[in-house]
Amino acid sequence: MLILECPYCGVKAEETELAPGGEAHLKRFGPGSADEEFEAYMFARKNPKGVHFERWRHAYGCGKWFLAARCTATLEVFGTYPAQSTEPPADIIDKIKAKRPDWKGFK
Ligand SMILES: [Zn+2]
């Protein structure tokens, strides 16, 4: 079972207490942008087997959105951090690089 620690209230919540919100760190493109950019923003999502950054909401807790870095293959969680972060914190990146030397990086 997937267990994520909410960075706001500190509760280690099971997956059933959380609501998934899809991929994290999407760059938003509005209707006025180029068709290719808008289409990619609306529909294209990564689906890696390995390190992935996701949005989650502590639905049956504090109700706040947060971001999580985890491995989709093993369910190993590298860390969680506030949803307002524009990129993963350096300590989480270092942790991922230490455990997954072949990881290609955040972008
Ligand atoms: Zn919470």
Side-chain angles (χ1 to χ4, degrees):
M1 173 166 286
L2 178 64
I3 297 176
L4 298 173
E5 182 175 341
C6 176
Y8 299 106
C9 61
V11 169
K12 288 185 171 45
E14 293 182 357
E15 192 173 353
T16 55
E17 298 177 47
L18 306 166
E23 185 179 336
H25 303 296
L26 292 176
K27 187 172 190 296
R28 184 183 175 97
F29 289 97
S33 60
D35 287 348
E36 297 79 24
E37 291 173 332
F38 188 59
E39 180 186 358
Y41 165 68
M42 290 295 290
F43 302 111
R45 297 292 182 265
K46 294 175 187 159
N47 188 22
K49 180 180 179 184
V51 177
H52 193 42
F53 297 90
E54 301 170 327
R55 300 174 67 227
W56 288 88
R57 190 170 73 88
H58 195 185
Y60 293 98
C62 66
K64 293 182 179 174
W65 285 96
F66 63 94
L67 306 179
R70 70 176 183 103
C71 177
T72 59
T74 64
L75 299 188
E76 180 180 8
V77 178
F78 302 107
T80 57
Y81 49 102
Q84 292 77 18
S85 308
T86 55
E87 59 185 53
D91 63 320
I92 291 178
I93 294 289
D94 292 343
K95 194 173 179 181
I96 295 170
K97 286 180 177 173
K99 292 187 173 183
R100 300 286 194 285
D102 58 336
W103 181 54
K104 300 283 189 268
F106 159 63
K107 300 278 176 175

